[in-house]
Amino acid sequence: MGATKHRRHYSYAAAAALVALTVTACGGGGGSDRSGVQSVQPGPNGARESQSGQPLPLPDMAPSHDFRMTDPATDALSTFALDIDTGSYTRFRDAVNQGSRVVPSEVRTEEFVNYFQQGYEAPRDGLGVSIDAAALPFRDGHRLVRVGISSPRPESRPDVDLVLVVDCSGSMDEAGKMETTKVVLRTATAALGATDRVAMVCYSTRAAVALAPTPASNRDAIDRAIDGLYPDASTNAAAGLTLGYDLARSMHTEGRMSRVVLVSDGVANVGDTSAGGILERISTQARAGTNLISVGVGIQDYNDQLLEQLADRGDGWHVYVDTAAEAQRVFATGLTGSLVVAAKNAKAQVEFDPQAVKGYRLLGYENRAVADENFRNDAVDGGEVFAGHTTTALYDVELRGGVRNAAFVKATVRHLDASERPVERTGSLRDSECADTVDQASPRLRQDLVVALLTDRLMEGPWSQWTSASDLRELAATLPAAVDEDRDVAELARLVDKVTT
């Protein structure tokens, strides 16, 4: 029962439709010359080029949002890989600020929630688990349950070899995408230490090395390479990633970290590929320690699913950068923690007592589901959690009566430590420990209720039939004062006001 519900299941028809849509919309990916001769992005320094013509493989297609409650009498376990992505929220923010349509299929509740501070206590090592809950004001007998997972704060890190893979195709000439890309690149490289190294690949029709491995202290060489990037021709992201991973492998030195950062709008020639294609390559390199960070840019012509799934397959994380301030937040303030893996192959399993619970629903994590029986199977991939990050799972839980002192939910988190040994930590919650009203809940749990109500409304979910837009606005308006005028939360309240009026 649990295996069926949690097994990843995707539609090949949907995959084919996305291939057709992408190729049609982009003329085969970006800007091929009508004569049939494709121009090549030249690489500075007489760059060598990858001639790979393999199309970028389509990632797993995420199932549509499922709003059904699950009866714990038939399936008491909810199992998923951990995820620290935030790209869905920043893309929503950019769409609202630009006056663009918010696409429901791009709304991932967990990424909205992950964007915000949660107030969890950081563990000394491994992953910490906490559970709290509050009564839902619009559904008698229901609780919003928050399962919080936190990693240790970053202290120091080994030197890093950072390979930047940059989309230089024709689609990057739109809506300031290349300008945003250069801001990202300058911010990320400026935050590196003097003993770190950076290299850069640019790709359009072909891929080329735009910057050979260079000490991060050589700002002039790095800035010249970034300044020399320009949009041109078609898109061959597979060639770019292949060359990027080749470069990362050539730079490998014992005792140093290796990371690949892809900066793109995700618009690419995508299609079927062999088992030896780029997705398998990304997975293999991730297992060897080279994680992938995908950075999305551009509100128009953007492939959200591709970039999110590439990061998942690369055991990394996905962000969307809409402003210079966001680039600073991700790559300057939090770069060290964003590079250090605190927990490998991390999964969560949440168990609901059928004697106390009528039904439950996980909000988000649709494409991170794991079969229940694979929770302790370390051959089945989980997610990586980086230092100083948190990840949160929210549940709508309907309780039975008379269970105040019974533990109705138990959450277990499992990961591999630096020695590849499994570590598990568990937390549980009784109804008597839940806040009876929203006002009595912690400010950060109230914040998460606002986020969940927002994503439900964006996706036309079930909560919208019991709550109004004005209810959401009023609840959001109380948040900034409750969290010491947190700028991100103040911005959330402003965005809620904008999309509900």
Side-chain angles (χ1 to χ4, degrees):
M1 287 172 286
T4 301
K5 187 187 74 169
H6 294 295
R7 185 181 296 119
R8 296 189 183 190
H9 182 72
Y10 304 106
S11 162
Y12 289 103
L18 180 58
V19 172
L21 176 62
T22 305
V23 174
T24 301
C26 304
S32 152
D33 187 286
R34 291 192 178 187
S35 66
V37 178
Q38 295 179 316
S39 57
V40 178
Q41 170 73 46
N45 316 319
R48 63 188 178 91
E49 297 177 343
S50 167
Q51 301 297 322
S52 170
Q54 286 292 318
L56 187 69
L58 190 70
D60 292 339
M61 296 294 293
S64 60
H65 300 294
D66 188 351
F67 301 118
R68 294 172 296 179
M69 300 288 283
T70 299
D71 183 351
T74 59
D75 185 359
L77 298 174
S78 171
T79 310
F80 55 93
L82 298 191
D83 186 1
I84 64 169
D85 296 353
T86 60
S88 181
Y89 175 74
T90 42
R91 180 148 171 81
F92 154 77
R93 180 178 66 190
D94 198 19
V96 174
N97 288 335
Q98 301 266 2
S100 300
R101 174 176 173 265
V102 178
V103 181
S105 64
E106 292 183 6
V107 175
R108 293 182 289 275
T109 298
E110 72 277 12
E111 296 186 22
F112 276 58
V113 174
N114 283 344
Y115 187 85
F116 298 95
Q117 294 293 322
Q118 297 293 330
Y120 306 137
E121 183 178 350
R124 293 182 179 179
D125 55 34
L127 298 178
V129 182
S130 65
I131 311 179
D132 61 349
L136 283 176
F138 49 87
R139 293 284 279 158
D140 288 343
H142 285 242
R143 305 288 183 267
L144 178 67
V145 175
R146 178 176 68 157
V147 177
I149 299 149
S150 54
S151 64
R153 293 186 180 92
E155 294 180 359
S156 60
R157 63 167 173 82
D159 292 336
V160 65
D161 294 327
L162 200 65
V163 178
L164 306 167
V165 178
V166 186
D167 187 344
C168 295
S169 64
S171 64
M172 293 293 286
D173 199 24
E174 304 167 354
K177 293 178 184 178
M178 183 55 73
E179 289 75 11
T180 302
T181 294
K182 291 182 178 182
V183 169
V184 168
L185 299 175
R186 292 190 186 99
T187 304
T189 54
L192 295 172
T195 52
D196 295 328
R197 292 187 296 181
V198 61
M200 186 163 63
V201 169
C202 60
Y203 67 87
S204 54
T205 306
R206 299 178 182 177
V209 176
L211 178 69
T214 301
S217 57
N218 190 346
R219 290 301 317 170
D220 288 344
I222 295 170
D223 288 340
R224 281 197 304 272
I226 294 172
D227 291 341
L229 299 175
Y230 62 90
D232 177 56
S234 298
T235 312
N236 193 341
L241 284 166
T242 298
L243 183 54
Y245 277 104
D246 286 345
L247 196 53
R249 186 175 60 180
S250 72
M251 295 170 69
H252 177 72
T253 306
E254 197 67 31
R256 297 175 68 93
M257 295 191 304
S258 176
R259 301 289 182 263
V260 172
V261 178
L262 171 66
V263 187
S264 173
D265 60 6
V267 177
N269 293 325
V270 295
D272 294 332
T273 187
S274 68
I278 190 62
L279 285 184
E280 182 59 33
R281 174 72 181 276
I282 289 172
S283 297
T284 300
Q285 292 299 114
R287 290 191 292 272
T290 301
N291 301 81
L292 174 69
I293 301 165
S294 72
V295 183
V297 294
I299 195 63
Q300 298 176 357
D301 295 331
Y302 183 79
N303 191 333
D304 170 78
Q305 286 185 341
L306 179 63
L307 293 172
E308 190 252 348
Q309 288 292 296
L310 285 175
D312 285 350
R313 194 67 70 95
D315 283 345
W317 42 275
H318 166 57
V319 295
Y320 176 88
V321 174
D322 53 345
T323 63
E326 185 64 20
Q328 188 77 13
R329 166 194 168 105
V330 173
F331 290 107
T333 307
L335 182 64
T336 293
S338 297
L339 294 176
V340 177
V341 176
K344 300 178 182 178
N345 204 13
K347 304 169 193 168
Q349 187 165 81
V350 182
E351 183 175 5
F352 296 91
D353 180 0
Q355 300 300 313
V357 176
K358 285 184 180 180
Y360 68 90
R361 175 170 67 94
L362 173 61
L363 311 184
Y365 289 95
E366 285 89 352
N367 62 2
R368 301 293 282 163
V370 173
D372 296 334
E373 66 269 22
N374 285 331
F375 176 61
R376 293 184 173 88
N377 181 355
D378 295 324
V380 174
D381 193 31
E384 313 313 277
V385 178
F386 290 74
H389 284 256
T390 64
T391 184
T392 300
L394 300 178
Y395 287 88
D396 178 355
V397 179
E398 183 180 9
L399 295 181
R400 302 183 186 278
V403 296
R404 290 290 289 174
N405 294 313
F408 67 92
V409 58
K410 180 177 76 172
T412 303
V413 175
R414 178 184 175 88
H415 71 278
L416 301 180
D417 65 13
S419 301
E420 302 292 321
R421 293 175 301 190
V423 177
E424 291 188 11
R425 288 184 177 156
T426 300
S428 61
L429 187 72
R430 299 188 299 269
D431 189 37
S432 59
E433 298 171 312
C434 300
D436 291 329
T437 67
V438 172
D439 289 341
Q440 295 174 4
S442 72
R444 294 298 181 178
L445 181 54
R446 286 162 52 193
Q447 160 194 291
D448 291 342
L449 175 58
V450 168
V451 171
L453 285 167
L454 171 63
T455 59
D456 180 86
R457 187 162 292 275
L458 294 173
M459 295 182 292
E460 300 181 350
W463 285 359
S464 297
Q465 65 182 295
W466 297 298
T467 61
S468 67
S470 61
D471 292 333
L472 176 54
R473 282 197 305 274
E474 289 173 10
L475 188 56
T478 67
L479 286 179
V483 292
D484 297 324
E485 301 299 333
D486 181 323
R487 290 183 180 181
D488 292 332
V489 176
E491 182 177 56
L492 170 66
R494 180 184 64 80
L495 294 171
V496 165
D497 187 68
K498 196 167 184 176
V499 298
T500 58
T501 53

